[in-house]
Amino acid sequence: MASAPRPERVPRLLAGCLPLTRPTPTVGLVSMEQEETYLELYLDQCAAQDDLAPPRSPLFNPVAPYGMYILNASNLDTALNSNPEVKEASGDFSSVDLSFLPDEVTQENKDQPVISSRHETEENSESQSPQSRLPSLSEQDIGLGLNSSSLSNSHSQLHPGDTDSVQPSPEKPNSDSLSLASITPMTPMTPVSECCGIVPQLQNIVSTVNLACKLDLKKIALHAKNAEYNPKRFAAVIMRIREPRTTALIFSSGKMVCTGAKSEEQSRLAARKYARVVQKLGFPARFLDFKIQNMVGSCDVRFPIRLEGLVLTHQQFSSYEPELFPGLIYRMVKPRIVLLIFVSGKVVLTGAKERSEIYEAFENIYPILKGFKKA
Amino acid sequence: MAYQLYRNTTLGNSLQESLDELIQGSLNTYRFCDNVWTFVLNDVEFREVTELIKVDKVKIVACDGKNTGSNTTE
């Protein structure tokens, strides 16, 4: 999963999104009762999982496996064929930024143990790895983080809407392998959220690169355009370029931080431009170890949220101090993303190294937020 | 570890609006080194009560105040 080389090779539209190992699920809306039912079904399916699928341990987190998303590609296919609602949702694909690389999906899909999905709009089915056995989770654990058990909490947190109707019937793998085969060419890996088509938009990308040569910051500040250097305040040159609109912090060690880009490819392009500026000033600059360190996204769920309720039921993950900050700070475990959730329904997601993590985190949080809709 | 980067970026992003000026306004370049600000502006109007002076390019060199400030335009 090298992030560095990939963006260079792909056309601009399929911009440098980091390799995606899972498609985003088309998660539907479920009520609490439905979620409980799906959770039960999921648990039943986990117990039967061993018979169906070989382990895919390297990729799977026992609690919330990647396979969940890959499977949803097949779910999507079956769902598309059978469910008009999902078609509407999938229709949103055309308006969504296609930044994922289908190659990865194809590979993953083929290897994927197939678990059937019913023709439901809500997916997020758990194509589980057999390790994720949760037979110990009884029905008491159903619900959104209401229990003290951390495992059940994390489980219910991570699979809020999920639970899909996965049937451990032996016949399904066949249909699914067929659907997988048919789906691999088509899945654009676009995130479809909750059949409402809400897609978090990236607002900021922070990346670092090593220019691999010592730099004379004063010389850079004096000769480069749009540069600031105040060593008493900060030991780096702060340089900006117009296109892509970004800011770079350039250190005397030759390391550089590039911030402000709205996409992975833009961040890389901007970093290259800064490197070229430094190079033109006479330094033997190279472009080593480009890495995206953080990605920030935001979106709007379009309904007000009861933050008090959310912090009560998800206290393990939430912190809400309205006197300190008006947003609830939700620290999701998987993916490891921090979400700022506001009463207005606006959500900020940060801490991602890959675009898919932002989408995945929003997929996870959306059903939870729906459960705390105001009025 | 990652948070250190965040702190750096708040510093780096703190003057993003200056880029907005670049895009919208007439600020061509800016520089700050040795506590001296240097700005180059294009298409500037100097307006006084009586007269109006239009200029294609203005370079402003500015130092800190406190009895030793000086402004030069050319």
Side-chain angles (χ1 to χ4, degrees), chain A residues 173-193:
Chain A
N174 297 333
S175 64
D176 271 306
S177 47
L178 283 178
S179 59
L180 271 183
S182 62
I183 200 173
T184 45
M186 71 163 272
T187 317
M189 307 284 287
T190 49
V192 179
S193 309

Side-chain angles (χ1 to χ4, degrees), chain A residues 204 206 208 217-218 220-234 238-242 245-247 249 251 257 259-260 293-294 331 336 338 350-353, chain B residues 1-40 42 64:
Chain A
N204 183 27
V206 177
T208 55
L217 296 188
K218 191 145 165 188
I220 293 176
L222 284 173
H223 292 90
K225 290 187 177 184
N226 303 323
E228 296 166 47
Y229 180 45
N230 193 355
K232 286 184 299 191
R233 194 169 74 108
F234 189 57
I238 302 167
M239 193 184 298
R240 294 183 177 83
I241 57 174
R242 287 181 183 87
R245 189 161 74 89
T246 49
T247 302
L249 308 177
F251 294 85
V257 180
T259 67
Q293 302 289 354
N294 184 35
R331 297 180 185 274
R336 201 169 78 94
V338 174
T350 185
K353 290 274 197 288
Chain B
M1 176 187 64
Y3 299 93
Q4 287 173 2
L5 276 170
Y6 294 174
R7 284 184 214 120
N8 285 344
T9 61
T10 43
L11 260 177
N13 282 329
S14 62
L15 287 174
Q16 199 81 7
E17 58 265 20
S18 64
L19 257 184
D20 287 332
E21 274 195 55
L22 273 171
I23 297 167
Q24 299 158 17
S26 57
L27 179 65
N28 192 328
T29 60
Y30 65 87
R31 173 175 296 119
F32 180 69
C33 193
D34 293 330
N35 278 330
V36 175
W37 280 101
T38 307
F39 300 98
V40 176
N42 292 113
D64 268 353

Side-chain angles (χ1 to χ4, degrees), chain A residues 332-343:
Chain A
M332 194 174 283
V333 172
K334 184 172 188 319
R336 201 169 78 94
I337 298 286
V338 174
L339 299 91
L340 305 179
I341 303 167
F342 297 88
V343 173

Side-chain angles (χ1 to χ4, degrees), chain A residues 77-127:
Chain A
D77 189 48
T78 47
L80 279 177
N81 294 333
S82 59
N83 197 322
E85 286 183 48
V86 176
K87 274 180 188 157
E88 287 172 16
S90 64
D92 289 331
F93 286 166
S94 56
S95 59
V96 173
D97 179 24
L98 302 179
S99 297
F100 295 99
L101 305 171
D103 298 336
E104 298 293 324
V105 180
T106 307
Q107 276 302 331
E108 293 291 343
N109 278 338
K110 280 179 182 156
D111 296 339
Q112 212 31 255
V114 174
I115 296 183
S116 84
S117 59
R118 256 199 248 146
H119 314 191
E120 306 278 346
T121 32
E122 41 288 56
E123 337 30 4
N124 255 353
S125 59
E126 315 289 354
S127 62

